[in-house]
Amino acid sequence: RAILGQEMACTGCQGQQFQADDLAGMPTRGRGPAILVYYGPALMQKPGKKDPRGALTVLAEVYRQTRELFPLQQDTANETITVRIDALKEIDCALVLRPDPGQSWVISKTSCKDAMAKLVSASEYKNINWDTNQVLSFGRKPPRKPGRGLTVAVGGFVPRVRRFSLFSTASTAPPA
């Protein structure tokens, strides 16, 4: 709820605040970039009609993970970035909140002003640049550090595997 209020009140115009919520004391006040969720209204109208709570949960997580890719800064208060959620707007919220095993929704930074939501499979994880992608982690413990969304995506599988150095090029055997 707080993330939606803060991000939706961030205007992308330095010095501009809403009377009802001037963001006093909030980290978004006087900072940017603002986040425009393209197809956000469609998400609320289509799958949100059946499951409004689910749609708001999806929208909040889109804002949260997009903000990880585009951190708040004073010098970007006059800027707006666009995150496209075309892939999410037609799908039942339950399928977004709990994707099929081995798949995760991510927000992928496509340029310095744009990002998009996309579904990725576990086979793609090793090729993903985690500096420009964030996993949408609904109701799960958020990543400890930005760019560590993979750990959350597969529900604890990766931390066990990472101990065995699956993602490194060095040849190591798992402990007995």
Side-chain angles (χ1 to χ4, degrees):
R1 193 172 177 187
I3 190 85
L4 291 172
Q6 288 177 38
E7 293 294 352
M8 289 181 162
C10 188
T11 66
C13 295
Q14 191 168 17
Q16 182 184 51
Q17 283 86 33
F18 292 99
Q19 282 184 338
D21 187 0
D22 67 359
L23 298 173
M26 295 291 141
T28 50
R29 184 181 174 113
R31 295 181 179 174
I35 298 171
L36 170 66
V37 180
Y38 204 82
Y39 292 119
L43 175 73
M44 296 307 301
Q45 291 171 350
K46 293 179 181 181
K49 185 176 183 178
K50 179 180 175 188
D51 183 5
R53 178 175 286 215
L56 288 171
T57 300
V58 170
L59 193 57
E61 187 62 8
V62 166
Y63 275 114
R64 189 175 292 111
Q65 297 308 327
T66 302
R67 182 57 68 203
E68 290 292 324
L69 295 171
F70 299 91
L72 288 168
Q73 300 173 0
Q74 285 185 330
D75 62 335
T76 58
N78 278 326
E79 297 178 16
T80 301
I81 63 99
T82 303
V83 58
R84 297 183 60 100
I85 61 165
D86 313 42
L88 301 174
K89 71 180 174 84
E90 300 291 335
I91 299 172
D92 188 44
C93 289
L95 296 174
V96 175
L97 297 169
R98 289 174 298 286
D100 290 336
Q103 294 187 322
S104 296
W105 287 99
V106 299
I107 297 295
S108 182
K109 186 174 183 178
T110 55
S111 75
C112 64
K113 298 271 187 190
D114 297 290
M116 64 181 280
K118 65 180 182 177
L119 187 64
V120 297
S121 66
S123 64
E124 298 174 75
Y125 292 161
K126 65 182 176 184
N127 297 323
I128 291 177
N129 178 351
W130 293 108
D131 292 331
T132 58
N133 289 274
Q134 287 290 123
V135 174
L136 298 180
S137 54
F138 307 104
R140 297 178 224 154
K141 198 173 181 180
R144 290 184 306 184
K145 295 179 184 175
R148 299 281 185 201
L150 175 61
T151 301
V152 174
V154 290
F157 174 71
V158 172
R160 283 179 268 154
V161 171
R162 288 172 66 196
R163 278 186 249 141
F164 303 135
S165 301
L166 180 67
F167 296 114
S168 70
T169 56
S171 174
T172 57

PDB file of all heavy atoms in Angstrom, residues 47-74:
ATOM      1  N   PRO A  47      -7.629  -8.285 -15.430  1.00  0.00           N
ATOM      2  CA  PRO A  47      -7.510  -9.266 -14.346  1.00  0.00           C
ATOM      3  C   PRO A  47      -7.905  -8.681 -12.992  1.00  0.00           C
ATOM      4  O   PRO A  47      -8.355  -9.399 -12.103  1.00  0.00           O
ATOM      5  CB  PRO A  47      -6.039  -9.682 -14.377  1.00  0.00           C
ATOM      6  CG  PRO A  47      -5.325  -8.694 -15.200  1.00  0.00           C
ATOM      7  CD  PRO A  47      -6.343  -8.019 -16.054  1.00  0.00           C
ATOM      8  N   GLY A  48      -7.778  -7.364 -12.835  1.00  0.00           N
ATOM      9  CA  GLY A  48      -8.138  -6.718 -11.578  1.00  0.00           C
ATOM     10  C   GLY A  48      -9.628  -6.712 -11.293  1.00  0.00           C
ATOM     11  O   GLY A  48     -10.049  -6.586 -10.152  1.00  0.00           O
ATOM     12  N   LYS A  49     -10.432  -6.854 -12.333  1.00  0.00           N
ATOM     13  CA  LYS A  49     -11.883  -6.913 -12.133  1.00  0.00           C
ATOM     14  C   LYS A  49     -12.262  -8.160 -11.339  1.00  0.00           C
ATOM     15  O   LYS A  49     -13.112  -8.125 -10.461  1.00  0.00           O
ATOM     16  CB  LYS A  49     -12.586  -6.911 -13.495  1.00  0.00           C
ATOM     17  CG  LYS A  49     -14.083  -6.859 -13.410  1.00  0.00           C
ATOM     18  CD  LYS A  49     -14.681  -6.752 -14.806  1.00  0.00           C
ATOM     19  CE  LYS A  49     -16.187  -6.622 -14.721  1.00  0.00           C
ATOM     20  NZ  LYS A  49     -16.773  -6.468 -16.054  1.00  0.00           N
ATOM     21  N   LYS A  50     -11.580  -9.263 -11.632  1.00  0.00           N
ATOM     22  CA  LYS A  50     -11.834 -10.521 -10.943  1.00  0.00           C
ATOM     23  C   LYS A  50     -11.096 -10.597  -9.602  1.00  0.00           C
ATOM     24  O   LYS A  50     -11.602 -11.149  -8.638  1.00  0.00           O
ATOM     25  CB  LYS A  50     -11.388 -11.679 -11.841  1.00  0.00           C
ATOM     26  CG  LYS A  50     -11.583 -13.053 -11.240  1.00  0.00           C
ATOM     27  CD  LYS A  50     -11.121 -14.123 -12.201  1.00  0.00           C
ATOM     28  CE  LYS A  50     -11.182 -15.499 -11.568  1.00  0.00           C
ATOM     29  NZ  LYS A  50     -10.558 -16.504 -12.430  1.00  0.00           N
ATOM     30  N   ASP A  51      -9.873 -10.051  -9.553  1.00  0.00           N
ATOM     31  CA  ASP A  51      -9.028 -10.140  -8.368  1.00  0.00           C
ATOM     32  C   ASP A  51      -8.326  -8.805  -8.118  1.00  0.00           C
ATOM     33  O   ASP A  51      -7.150  -8.645  -8.427  1.00  0.00           O
ATOM     34  CB  ASP A  51      -7.997 -11.263  -8.558  1.00  0.00           C
ATOM     35  CG  ASP A  51      -7.103 -11.490  -7.354  1.00  0.00           C
ATOM     36  OD1 ASP A  51      -7.313 -10.841  -6.305  1.00  0.00           O
ATOM     37  OD2 ASP A  51      -6.176 -12.314  -7.470  1.00  0.00           O
ATOM     38  N   PRO A  52      -9.036  -7.820  -7.546  1.00  0.00           N
ATOM     39  CA  PRO A  52      -8.428  -6.499  -7.348  1.00  0.00           C
ATOM     40  C   PRO A  52      -7.217  -6.526  -6.416  1.00  0.00           C
ATOM     41  O   PRO A  52      -6.237  -5.841  -6.664  1.00  0.00           O
ATOM     42  CB  PRO A  52      -9.555  -5.646  -6.766  1.00  0.00           C
ATOM     43  CG  PRO A  52     -10.694  -6.541  -6.515  1.00  0.00           C
ATOM     44  CD  PRO A  52     -10.436  -7.853  -7.154  1.00  0.00           C
ATOM     45  N   ARG A  53      -7.277  -7.327  -5.374  1.00  0.00           N
ATOM     46  CA  ARG A  53      -6.145  -7.413  -4.452  1.00  0.00           C
ATOM     47  C   ARG A  53      -4.916  -7.980  -5.170  1.00  0.00           C
ATOM     48  O   ARG A  53      -3.811  -7.487  -5.007  1.00  0.00           O
ATOM     49  CB  ARG A  53      -6.474  -8.269  -3.241  1.00  0.00           C
ATOM     50  CG  ARG A  53      -5.290  -8.414  -2.285  1.00  0.00           C
ATOM     51  CD  ARG A  53      -5.693  -9.154  -1.070  1.00  0.00           C
ATOM     52  NE  ARG A  53      -6.499  -8.236  -0.290  1.00  0.00           N
ATOM     53  CZ  ARG A  53      -6.499  -8.196   1.025  1.00  0.00           C
ATOM     54  NH1 ARG A  53      -5.788  -9.046   1.705  1.00  0.00           N
ATOM     55  NH2 ARG A  53      -7.229  -7.322   1.664  1.00  0.00           N
ATOM     56  N   GLY A  54      -5.122  -9.015  -5.963  1.00  0.00           N
ATOM     57  CA  GLY A  54      -4.025  -9.604  -6.722  1.00  0.00           C
ATOM     58  C   GLY A  54      -3.422  -8.607  -7.695  1.00  0.00           C
ATOM     59  O   GLY A  54      -2.199  -8.514  -7.825  1.00  0.00           O
ATOM     60  N   ALA A  55      -4.266  -7.843  -8.378  1.00  0.00           N
ATOM     61  CA  ALA A  55      -3.779  -6.855  -9.344  1.00  0.00           C
ATOM     62  C   ALA A  55      -2.982  -5.752  -8.640  1.00  0.00           C
ATOM     63  O   ALA A  55      -1.932  -5.323  -9.142  1.00  0.00           O
ATOM     64  CB  ALA A  55      -4.944  -6.255 -10.123  1.00  0.00           C
ATOM     65  N   LEU A  56      -3.450  -5.310  -7.482  1.00  0.00           N
ATOM     66  CA  LEU A  56      -2.702  -4.298  -6.727  1.00  0.00           C
ATOM     67  C   LEU A  56      -1.382  -4.857  -6.207  1.00  0.00           C
ATOM     68  O   LEU A  56      -0.371  -4.150  -6.162  1.00  0.00           O
ATOM     69  CB  LEU A  56      -3.549  -3.754  -5.577  1.00  0.00           C
ATOM     70  CG  LEU A  56      -4.695  -2.840  -5.998  1.00  0.00           C
ATOM     71  CD1 LEU A  56      -5.606  -2.543  -4.813  1.00  0.00           C
ATOM     72  CD2 LEU A  56      -4.158  -1.543  -6.606  1.00  0.00           C
ATOM     73  N   THR A  57      -1.364  -6.128  -5.842  1.00  0.00           N
ATOM     74  CA  THR A  57      -0.128  -6.775  -5.402  1.00  0.00           C
ATOM     75  C   THR A  57       0.874  -6.812  -6.554  1.00  0.00           C
ATOM     76  O   THR A  57       2.057  -6.516  -6.376  1.00  0.00           O
ATOM     77  CB  THR A  57      -0.418  -8.201  -4.889  1.00  0.00           C
ATOM     78  OG1 THR A  57      -1.319  -8.114  -3.789  1.00  0.00           O
ATOM     79  CG2 THR A  57       0.848  -8.921  -4.461  1.00  0.00           C
ATOM     80  N   VAL A  58       0.403  -7.173  -7.736  1.00  0.00           N
ATOM     81  CA  VAL A  58       1.260  -7.200  -8.923  1.00  0.00           C
ATOM     82  C   VAL A  58       1.790  -5.798  -9.207  1.00  0.00           C
ATOM     83  O   VAL A  58       2.994  -5.602  -9.412  1.00  0.00           O
ATOM     84  CB  VAL A  58       0.502  -7.761 -10.149  1.00  0.00           C
ATOM     85  CG1 VAL A  58       1.300  -7.555 -11.434  1.00  0.00           C
ATOM     86  CG2 VAL A  58       0.163  -9.230  -9.943  1.00  0.00           C
ATOM     87  N   LEU A  59       0.908  -4.816  -9.199  1.00  0.00           N
ATOM     88  CA  LEU A  59       1.306  -3.443  -9.492  1.00  0.00           C
ATOM     89  C   LEU A  59       2.336  -2.933  -8.483  1.00  0.00           C
ATOM     90  O   LEU A  59       3.341  -2.321  -8.866  1.00  0.00           O
ATOM     91  CB  LEU A  59       0.063  -2.542  -9.501  1.00  0.00           C
ATOM     92  CG  LEU A  59       0.205  -1.151 -10.061  1.00  0.00           C
ATOM     93  CD1 LEU A  59       0.723  -1.172 -11.490  1.00  0.00           C
ATOM     94  CD2 LEU A  59      -1.133  -0.424  -9.996  1.00  0.00           C
ATOM     95  N   ALA A  60       2.131  -3.210  -7.210  1.00  0.00           N
ATOM     96  CA  ALA A  60       3.080  -2.773  -6.177  1.00  0.00           C
ATOM     97  C   ALA A  60       4.452  -3.410  -6.386  1.00  0.00           C
ATOM     98  O   ALA A  60       5.486  -2.742  -6.261  1.00  0.00           O
ATOM     99  CB  ALA A  60       2.545  -3.107  -4.787  1.00  0.00           C
ATOM    100  N   GLU A  61       4.469  -4.682  -6.722  1.00  0.00           N
ATOM    101  CA  GLU A  61       5.752  -5.362  -6.934  1.00  0.00           C
ATOM    102  C   GLU A  61       6.436  -4.863  -8.204  1.00  0.00           C
ATOM    103  O   GLU A  61       7.667  -4.761  -8.245  1.00  0.00           O
ATOM    104  CB  GLU A  61       5.563  -6.878  -6.983  1.00  0.00           C
ATOM    105  CG  GLU A  61       6.849  -7.662  -7.041  1.00  0.00           C
ATOM    106  CD  GLU A  61       7.771  -7.506  -5.844  1.00  0.00           C
ATOM    107  OE1 GLU A  61       7.395  -6.883  -4.825  1.00  0.00           O
ATOM    108  OE2 GLU A  61       8.909  -8.009  -5.923  1.00  0.00           O
ATOM    109  N   VAL A  62       5.665  -4.516  -9.217  1.00  0.00           N
ATOM    110  CA  VAL A  62       6.248  -3.913 -10.421  1.00  0.00           C
ATOM    111  C   VAL A  62       6.938  -2.599 -10.051  1.00  0.00           C
ATOM    112  O   VAL A  62       8.090  -2.354 -10.445  1.00  0.00           O
ATOM    113  CB  VAL A  62       5.179  -3.700 -11.515  1.00  0.00           C
ATOM    114  CG1 VAL A  62       5.684  -2.775 -12.622  1.00  0.00           C
ATOM    115  CG2 VAL A  62       4.736  -5.036 -12.094  1.00  0.00           C
ATOM    116  N   TYR A  63       6.269  -1.757  -9.280  1.00  0.00           N
ATOM    117  CA  TYR A  63       6.894  -0.503  -8.828  1.00  0.00           C
ATOM    118  C   TYR A  63       8.144  -0.794  -7.996  1.00  0.00           C
ATOM    119  O   TYR A  63       9.191  -0.172  -8.197  1.00  0.00           O
ATOM    120  CB  TYR A  63       5.923   0.319  -7.975  1.00  0.00           C
ATOM    121  CG  TYR A  63       4.983   1.200  -8.759  1.00  0.00           C
ATOM    122  CD1 TYR A  63       3.616   0.960  -8.759  1.00  0.00           C
ATOM    123  CD2 TYR A  63       5.452   2.301  -9.471  1.00  0.00           C
ATOM    124  CE1 TYR A  63       2.743   1.774  -9.458  1.00  0.00           C
ATOM    125  CE2 TYR A  63       4.583   3.130 -10.168  1.00  0.00           C
ATOM    126  CZ  TYR A  63       3.233   2.865 -10.155  1.00  0.00           C
ATOM    127  OH  TYR A  63       2.382   3.687 -10.848  1.00  0.00           O
ATOM    128  N   ARG A  64       8.048  -1.707  -7.054  1.00  0.00           N
ATOM    129  CA  ARG A  64       9.159  -2.013  -6.148  1.00  0.00           C
ATOM    130  C   ARG A  64      10.406  -2.465  -6.922  1.00  0.00           C
ATOM    131  O   ARG A  64      11.505  -1.966  -6.699  1.00  0.00           O
ATOM    132  CB  ARG A  64       8.731  -3.082  -5.149  1.00  0.00           C
ATOM    133  CG  ARG A  64       9.715  -3.337  -4.040  1.00  0.00           C
ATOM    134  CD  ARG A  64       9.175  -4.338  -3.009  1.00  0.00           C
ATOM    135  NE  ARG A  64       8.058  -3.769  -2.261  1.00  0.00           N
ATOM    136  CZ  ARG A  64       6.786  -4.161  -2.358  1.00  0.00           C
ATOM    137  NH1 ARG A  64       6.456  -5.168  -3.138  1.00  0.00           N
ATOM    138  NH2 ARG A  64       5.842  -3.581  -1.662  1.00  0.00           N
ATOM    139  N   GLN A  65      10.222  -3.396  -7.828  1.00  0.00           N
ATOM    140  CA  GLN A  65      11.379  -3.922  -8.554  1.00  0.00           C
ATOM    141  C   GLN A  65      11.878  -2.958  -9.630  1.00  0.00           C
ATOM    142  O   GLN A  65      13.079  -2.916  -9.915  1.00  0.00           O
ATOM    143  CB  GLN A  65      11.066  -5.307  -9.141  1.00  0.00           C
ATOM    144  CG  GLN A  65      10.769  -6.348  -8.086  1.00  0.00           C
ATOM    145  CD  GLN A  65      11.820  -6.448  -6.995  1.00  0.00           C
ATOM    146  OE1 GLN A  65      13.000  -6.252  -7.218  1.00  0.00           O
ATOM    147  NE2 GLN A  65      11.372  -6.753  -5.782  1.00  0.00           N
ATOM    148  N   THR A  66      10.991  -2.173 -10.205  1.00  0.00           N
ATOM    149  CA  THR A  66      11.422  -1.149 -11.152  1.00  0.00           C
ATOM    150  C   THR A  66      12.268  -0.107 -10.431  1.00  0.00           C
ATOM    151  O   THR A  66      13.279   0.355 -10.962  1.00  0.00           O
ATOM    152  CB  THR A  66      10.214  -0.489 -11.844  1.00  0.00           C
ATOM    153  OG1 THR A  66       9.446  -1.509 -12.512  1.00  0.00           O
ATOM    154  CG2 THR A  66      10.648   0.555 -12.851  1.00  0.00           C
ATOM    155  N   ARG A  67      11.881   0.232  -9.206  1.00  0.00           N
ATOM    156  CA  ARG A  67      12.652   1.205  -8.428  1.00  0.00           C
ATOM    157  C   ARG A  67      14.054   0.678  -8.117  1.00  0.00           C
ATOM    158  O   ARG A  67      15.014   1.434  -8.045  1.00  0.00           O
ATOM    159  CB  ARG A  67      11.902   1.556  -7.137  1.00  0.00           C
ATOM    160  CG  ARG A  67      12.594   2.583  -6.277  1.00  0.00           C
ATOM    161  CD  ARG A  67      12.883   3.898  -6.993  1.00  0.00           C
ATOM    162  NE  ARG A  67      11.692   4.624  -7.307  1.00  0.00           N
ATOM    163  CZ  ARG A  67      11.613   5.536  -8.284  1.00  0.00           C
ATOM    164  NH1 ARG A  67      12.657   5.824  -9.037  1.00  0.00           N
ATOM    165  NH2 ARG A  67      10.479   6.172  -8.524  1.00  0.00           N
ATOM    166  N   GLU A  68      14.201  -0.629  -7.980  1.00  0.00           N
ATOM    167  CA  GLU A  68      15.535  -1.204  -7.786  1.00  0.00           C
ATOM    168  C   GLU A  68      16.416  -0.961  -9.009  1.00  0.00           C
ATOM    169  O   GLU A  68      17.619  -0.750  -8.877  1.00  0.00           O
ATOM    170  CB  GLU A  68      15.451  -2.711  -7.510  1.00  0.00           C
ATOM    171  CG  GLU A  68      14.873  -3.063  -6.166  1.00  0.00           C
ATOM    172  CD  GLU A  68      15.768  -2.663  -5.006  1.00  0.00           C
ATOM    173  OE1 GLU A  68      17.013  -2.752  -5.141  1.00  0.00           O
ATOM    174  OE2 GLU A  68      15.239  -2.261  -3.962  1.00  0.00           O
ATOM    175  N   LEU A  69      15.817  -0.993 -10.180  1.00  0.00           N
ATOM    176  CA  LEU A  69      16.565  -0.775 -11.423  1.00  0.00           C
ATOM    177  C   LEU A  69      16.813   0.701 -11.709  1.00  0.00           C
ATOM    178  O   LEU A  69      17.770   1.056 -12.396  1.00  0.00           O
ATOM    179  CB  LEU A  69      15.826  -1.407 -12.606  1.00  0.00           C
ATOM    180  CG  LEU A  69      15.700  -2.922 -12.572  1.00  0.00           C
ATOM    181  CD1 LEU A  69      14.765  -3.406 -13.679  1.00  0.00           C
ATOM    182  CD2 LEU A  69      17.063  -3.582 -12.699  1.00  0.00           C
ATOM    183  N   PHE A  70      15.920   1.563 -11.207  1.00  0.00           N
ATOM    184  CA  PHE A  70      16.014   3.009 -11.409  1.00  0.00           C
ATOM    185  C   PHE A  70      15.934   3.690 -10.044  1.00  0.00           C
ATOM    186  O   PHE A  70      14.881   4.193  -9.650  1.00  0.00           O
ATOM    187  CB  PHE A  70      14.877   3.503 -12.316  1.00  0.00           C
ATOM    188  CG  PHE A  70      14.883   2.906 -13.695  1.00  0.00           C
ATOM    189  CD1 PHE A  70      14.180   1.746 -13.973  1.00  0.00           C
ATOM    190  CD2 PHE A  70      15.595   3.513 -14.716  1.00  0.00           C
ATOM    191  CE1 PHE A  70      14.179   1.199 -15.250  1.00  0.00           C
ATOM    192  CE2 PHE A  70      15.600   2.965 -15.998  1.00  0.00           C
ATOM    193  CZ  PHE A  70      14.891   1.812 -16.262  1.00  0.00           C
ATOM    194  N   PRO A  71      17.037   3.716  -9.293  1.00  0.00           N
ATOM    195  CA  PRO A  71      17.015   4.263  -7.924  1.00  0.00           C
ATOM    196  C   PRO A  71      16.661   5.745  -7.892  1.00  0.00           C
ATOM    197  O   PRO A  71      16.910   6.486  -8.854  1.00  0.00           O
ATOM    198  CB  PRO A  71      18.440   4.039  -7.424  1.00  0.00           C
ATOM    199  CG  PRO A  71      19.099   3.140  -8.394  1.00  0.00           C
ATOM    200  CD  PRO A  71      18.338   3.208  -9.671  1.00  0.00           C
ATOM    201  N   LEU A  72      16.111   6.164  -6.758  1.00  0.00           N
ATOM    202  CA  LEU A  72      15.770   7.564  -6.551  1.00  0.00           C
ATOM    203  C   LEU A  72      17.033   8.417  -6.461  1.00  0.00           C
ATOM    204  O   LEU A  72      17.979   8.054  -5.765  1.00  0.00           O
ATOM    205  CB  LEU A  72      14.968   7.736  -5.261  1.00  0.00           C
ATOM    206  CG  LEU A  72      13.541   7.215  -5.292  1.00  0.00           C
ATOM    207  CD1 LEU A  72      12.964   7.173  -3.890  1.00  0.00           C
ATOM    208  CD2 LEU A  72      12.685   8.062  -6.214  1.00  0.00           C
ATOM    209  N   GLN A  73      17.010   9.543  -7.187  1.00  0.00           N
ATOM    210  CA  GLN A  73      18.108  10.501  -7.161  1.00  0.00           C
ATOM    211  C   GLN A  73      17.532  11.893  -7.323  1.00  0.00           C
ATOM    212  O   GLN A  73      16.536  12.077  -8.025  1.00  0.00           O
ATOM    213  CB  GLN A  73      19.098  10.226  -8.291  1.00  0.00           C
ATOM    214  CG  GLN A  73      19.732   8.867  -8.238  1.00  0.00           C
ATOM    215  CD  GLN A  73      20.578   8.587  -9.477  1.00  0.00           C
ATOM    216  OE1 GLN A  73      20.694   9.410 -10.382  1.00  0.00           O
ATOM    217  NE2 GLN A  73      21.166   7.415  -9.520  1.00  0.00           N
ATOM    218  N   GLN A  74      18.164  12.873  -6.711  1.00  0.00           N
ATOM    219  CA  GLN A  74      17.686  14.240  -6.853  1.00  0.00           C
ATOM    220  C   GLN A  74      17.845  14.759  -8.276  1.00  0.00           C
ATOM    221  O   GLN A  74      16.984  15.490  -8.762  1.00  0.00           O
ATOM    222  CB  GLN A  74      18.409  15.165  -5.873  1.00  0.00           C
ATOM    223  CG  GLN A  74      17.920  14.988  -4.456  1.00  0.00           C
ATOM    224  CD  GLN A  74      18.550  15.982  -3.515  1.00  0.00           C
ATOM    225  OE1 GLN A  74      19.680  16.418  -3.717  1.00  0.00           O
ATOM    226  NE2 GLN A  74      17.812  16.348  -2.482  1.00  0.00           N
TER     227      GLN A  74
END
